[in-house]
Amino acid sequence: MAWKKPIVREIECGMEINMYGP
Amino acid sequence: MIGADDIPVIPRGVRMQFDRVRERWVLLAPERTVALDEIGVAILSEIDGQRSFGQITEGLAAKYAAPPEEIAADSRGFLGALIDRRFLEVRQ
């Protein structure tokens, strides 16, 4: 697995909101 | 901002779990959830409450063929976002 910028998404009320990363 | 000597700690009540329905890892906290990608899982898997951020990024740099400063910058931003939302704590 190659390194890449990690992605974090907050799951709220069925929606996903980007917290960090592309 | 998390420093090289800071020790990241996953607080009581927060845990990683594999979501079998969506086939991905999530970080669960009371009444809150975040979805992780494979790199996020790799970073969080290195957190043992003992090793410093600097030691963790050194370990990741040994595993991945990427510049250590890139790994440190990406990991710092990632963990900082989790600290801001109280999914992670830091001991100094």
Side-chain angles (χ1 to χ4, degrees):
Chain A
M1 182 168 61
W3 182 265
K4 60 180 181 173
K5 190 183 283 282
I7 299 170
V8 195
R9 294 173 161 274
E10 188 154 22
I11 302 168
E12 197 171 340
C13 302
M15 295 185 299
E16 296 189 13
I17 302 160
N18 213 50
M19 270 172 60
Y20 180 77
Chain B
M1 190 170 71
I2 188 167
D5 294 331
D6 292 340
I7 299 172
V9 179
I10 295 176
R12 182 185 294 272
V14 177
R15 61 193 167 91
M16 270 203 305
Q17 180 173 298
F18 189 69
D19 179 345
R20 290 181 182 173
V21 175
R22 290 175 175 261
E23 296 193 331
R24 65 182 180 184
W25 285 92
V26 294
L27 191 63
L28 298 175
E31 300 182 16
R32 296 175 301 140
T33 304
V34 293
L36 304 165
D37 69 349
E38 62 269 32
I39 296 292
V41 172
I43 297 170
L44 286 175
S45 297
E46 298 289 325
I47 292 174
D48 59 5
Q50 306 285 323
R51 293 191 300 156
S52 69
F53 176 70
Q55 291 171 315
I56 288 168
T57 54
E58 282 174 16
L60 289 167
K63 284 184 182 175
Y64 294 92
E69 56 272 21
E70 179 185 348
I71 286 178
D74 290 346
S75 299
R76 182 174 286 117
F78 167 77
L79 295 179
L82 293 178
I83 291 165
D84 288 347
R85 306 295 179 100
R86 291 173 292 142
F87 282 92
L88 194 71
E89 294 174 353
V90 167
R91 280 208 312 257
Q92 294 176 334

